[in-house]
Amino acid sequence: MTCMKPTFQKVGIVGAGAMGRGIAQVAAQAGSEVLLFDVQVGAALSAQVAVFSQWDKLCDKGRLDAARAASYKARLLCADSLAELSGSDLIVEAIVERLDVKANLFTELESTIRPSAVLATNTSSLSVTAIAARLKRPERFAGYHFFNPVPLMKVVEVIAGLKTSASVCTDLAAYARQMGHTPVQAQDSPGFIVNHAGRGYGTEALRIVSEGIADFATIDRILKDQIGFKLGPFELMDLTALDVSHPVMESIYHQYFEEPRYRPSVITAQRLAGGVVGKKVGEGFYRYVNGIAQISPEAAVPQVDEMPPVWVSPRAARRAELLLLLKNLGARIETGAAPSAQALSFVAPLGFDVTTVAVVERLDPARTIGIDMLVEDAASKRRVLATNPATRTDMRDAAHALMARDGKAVSVIRDSGGFVSQRVVATIVNIASDMCQQAICSPADLETAVTLGLGYPLGPLAMGNLYGPANVLEVLFNMQTVYGDPRYRPSPWLRRRGAIGVSLMHEEE
Ligand code: NAI
């Protein structure tokens, strides 16, 4: 919303669907003259009507003055043919997501446009380099990836194909700022930044469900209350809908030649096949009544008449904090080198399962419970406990009741290498670290893209720094031992920084 001359005075938009109309709106607001074209008769006109009504609504709310709205409207026009776009300084394509159709469109455009004009695609999953492969001048072609809804999602990925010239990216980035958006620069690679960095959240949560560790609602609660995500992974998948998100998971996995880190889940494949895709059909991971998710209540806090004494493993993470917490909760704390025959033993591993820890520390597994201490207790709205296959019910109930004494929510899950938050955080941080290792983008752009594009409470690298790069590294090392699965192997970027305690944002000289 600037009065200065925009970097691109005349902008053509091809495709007037959800994305094209949004891009047309912000481009007109930036001061450009916008021509909107769609192959479907009447589509450009109805997009124009929709954008005009957006501006009218803003005027009604007093957030836009009438004179300015009129100037925006005067700058957003419809074209009847592609040829009318030939005078454009920039053409942004937002048509159907098919490589052949997009490549044909750009070949046709190239024969009519000015030599100085820039061509851009809003593709979210195709290779920018591949779309440009048949162009005579691929150096003036780039990816310009907006998010839906465009006026509200204030981030744009500027993607350089193999032959894109640096000045084209600089101009597109400057223009993004004029549209009120924040540009981030990405290398042409599957998923670019946001859709690549977003792989960890859902896939690891699905993995946890598939192992029977916890149900959907418990995982959503834990990640919202412990880490601060606005939506749990299953709420998010219900909102996005699996007919959109499952194909993205498969596509990125295959485009990276079956890299185990991005392996999709059979759970979503099956739900997609069964049409249980999310909120829009009334049923996904949750059932929806009048658009409201039906969530079963949490298990009640058990009634425990006699609380056993408690003992804390000397190797527990945040041991001093855990002891203080137990004291504040009024527990009888044993201080011996080993637990007494009555004691409930708390272990707090990072990445290891409770079972392994009980065996290694020669504890009675029937009286051993795990607690996730990755997150500082004061910073978390929930405590998470894990049983092992031998944990006695009375011991589980005692731990639950004790940890709920001050009113804080408690979830009890089954044993797993790494608790829910440890697994999901470590996976997110590891994928982000590997993106930095591959130089897909700068650490700063990664953080910006993820916070604006995915709405995470923190960028993945800042999240890793908050919980400690060394802790995240430990979770991954130990999970790799528990599962023997290459998906948990730490990225060299994280290994180096975690090992010497340097910020994950730190770029090497
Ligand atoms: P849409 O289906 O709402 O709109 C596409 C429009 O393009 C339709 O109006 C269609 O008639 C028109 N069209 C198709 N082929 C054409 C051609 N050859 N010439 C001119 N017009 C043509 O699709 P949407 O959601 O707006 O997506 C458009 C592009 O943006 C796709 O490449 C998609 O991957 C990408 N994208 C979509 C996002 C989303 O959340 N919907 C987010 C980011 C990128």
Side-chain angles (χ1 to χ4, degrees):
M1 305 202 189
T2 171
C3 305
M4 279 169 46
K5 208 165 158 288
T7 303
F8 299 102
Q9 189 63 49
K10 292 176 187 257
V11 174
I13 312 270
V14 187
M19 298 305 290
R21 67 183 59 179
I23 300 167
Q25 179 178 340
V26 293
Q29 288 170 188
S32 301
E33 294 158 37
V34 180
L35 263 181
L36 188 54
F37 172 73
D38 197 291
V39 77
Q40 204 184 307
V41 177
L45 190 61
S46 69
Q48 187 198 41
V49 169
V51 175
F52 282 13
S53 95
Q54 290 292 324
W55 285 326
D56 289 340
K57 273 189 210 144
L58 289 175
C59 286
D60 292 345
K61 287 183 195 160
R63 286 166 52 195
L64 180 65
D65 69 61
R68 184 161 282 196
S71 74
Y72 291 168
K73 287 179 182 175
R75 288 201 291 269
L76 174 51
L77 304 174
C78 297
D80 295 324
S81 71
L82 199 57
E84 287 178 48
L85 269 53
S86 61
S88 304
D89 302 312
L90 165 68
I91 296 184
V92 183
E93 163 275 314
I95 65 169
V96 60
E97 187 75 340
R98 274 184 45 194
L99 179 61
D100 56 338
V101 183
K102 287 191 196 281
N104 286 341
L105 170 74
F106 284 112
T107 311
E108 190 180 342
L109 283 171
E110 195 179 36
S111 63
T112 62
I113 56 166
R114 303 209 276 237
S116 62
V118 168
L119 296 172
T121 173
N122 184 45
T123 184
S124 53
S125 65
L126 302 172
S127 156
V128 170
T129 304
I131 299 173
R134 282 196 275 134
L135 294 182
K136 292 196 190 81
R137 290 191 46 210
E139 65 275 10
R140 60 158 153 184
F141 181 85
Y144 210 26
H145 184 214
F146 289 81
F147 294 81
N148 192 17
V150 177
L152 300 181
M153 297 293 288
K154 303 262 182 201
V155 62
V156 190
E157 294 176 330
V158 178
I159 302 127
L162 271 184
K163 297 191 176 165
T164 308
S165 80
S167 66
V168 164
C169 292
T170 310
D171 287 349
L172 287 172
Y175 188 53
R177 285 191 202 93
Q178 291 154 15
M179 290 187 283
H181 280 46
T182 302
V184 287
Q185 177 78 43
Q187 245 194 56
D188 188 17
S189 55
F192 311 132
I193 307 177
V194 172
N195 284 338
H196 186 169
R199 285 316 88 219
Y201 195 42
T203 42
E204 192 58 22
L206 284 160
R207 186 105 185 137
I208 298 170
V209 167
S210 73
E211 291 170 15
I213 306 300
D215 61 21
F216 312 127
T218 303
I219 294 173
D220 278 351
R221 286 188 186 109
I222 291 173
L223 289 165
K224 286 192 289 182
D225 289 352
Q226 286 202 317
I227 311 299
F229 286 102
K230 283 187 211 105
L231 290 175
F234 297 100
E235 291 172 318
L236 186 64
M237 281 187 268
D238 270 3
L239 204 61
T240 315
L242 291 183
D243 52 344
V244 175
S245 53
H246 182 82
V248 174
M249 293 187 217
E250 284 204 4
S251 153
I252 291 185
Y253 177 60
H254 294 309
Q255 286 187 72
Y256 273 108
F257 300 110
E258 285 71 46
E259 161 60 47
R261 277 197 243 283
Y262 313 126
R263 196 187 308 137
S265 167
V266 292
I267 296 177
T268 46
Q270 206 164 46
R271 287 177 165 260
L272 174 57
V276 187
V277 298
K279 187 174 177 181
K280 69 182 180 188
V281 298
E283 195 179 3
F285 292 103
Y286 298 96
R287 254 187 350 96
Y288 293 82
V289 176
N290 299 327
I292 310 227
Q294 306 300 297
I295 305 173
S296 35
E298 292 200 61
V301 178
Q303 186 69 40
V304 174
D305 297 330
E306 196 164 341
M307 195 59 81
V310 299
W311 179 89
V312 175
S313 158
R315 297 195 217 175
R318 295 184 189 272
R319 183 166 190 268
E321 194 183 309
L322 178 54
L323 282 165
L324 183 64
L325 168 65
L326 289 164
K327 182 169 165 257
N328 291 340
L329 292 169
R332 275 185 295 145
I333 301 171
E334 292 189 356
T335 53
S340 71
Q342 296 75 43
L344 164 66
S345 301
F346 278 104
V347 296
L350 291 174
F352 266 128
D353 53 326
V354 178
T355 312
T356 302
V357 175
V359 172
V360 170
E361 298 192 16
R362 298 181 190 282
L363 302 172
D364 174 6
R367 293 181 289 118
T368 304
I369 283 272
I371 179 164
D372 189 353
M373 293 300 289
L374 177 72
V375 183
E376 189 192 349
D377 186 69
S380 167
K381 293 196 201 119
R382 178 174 296 270
R383 300 185 182 116
V384 178
L385 303 172
T387 54
N388 68 72
T391 305
R392 268 188 355 228
T393 317
D394 61 323
M395 286 292 154
R396 183 198 63 199
D397 287 351
H400 186 164
L402 178 60
M403 285 297 166
R405 268 186 181 168
D406 59 354
K408 198 172 269 198
V410 174
S411 294
V412 185
I413 62 171
R414 293 213 178 88
D415 198 9
S416 122
F419 295 76
V420 172
S421 293
Q422 291 184 15
R423 292 180 68 157
V424 172
V425 165
T427 302
I428 290 172
V429 174
N430 199 29
I431 287 174
S433 297
D434 213 47
M435 292 172 67
C436 294
Q437 182 68 51
Q438 293 175 47
I440 286 172
C441 57
S442 69
D445 273 1
L446 192 141
E447 299 292 273
T448 304
V450 172
T451 41
L452 293 178
L454 296 173
Y456 286 6
L458 283 174
L461 302 173
M463 203 180 276
N465 286 339
L466 177 67
Y467 300 122
N471 290 338
V472 176
L473 190 58
E474 189 176 338
V475 169
L476 290 165
F477 270 136
N478 293 339
M479 284 188 66
Q480 231 189 328
T481 308
V482 174
Y483 288 99
D485 187 332
R487 68 191 282 136
Y488 299 119
R489 75 187 181 282
S491 161
W493 181 278
L494 174 60
R495 279 179 87 123
R496 287 199 295 274
R497 284 158 187 78
I500 55 173
V502 166
S503 161
L504 294 178
M505 303 283 286
H506 182 76
E507 293 185 70
E508 282 155 60
E509 300 308 318

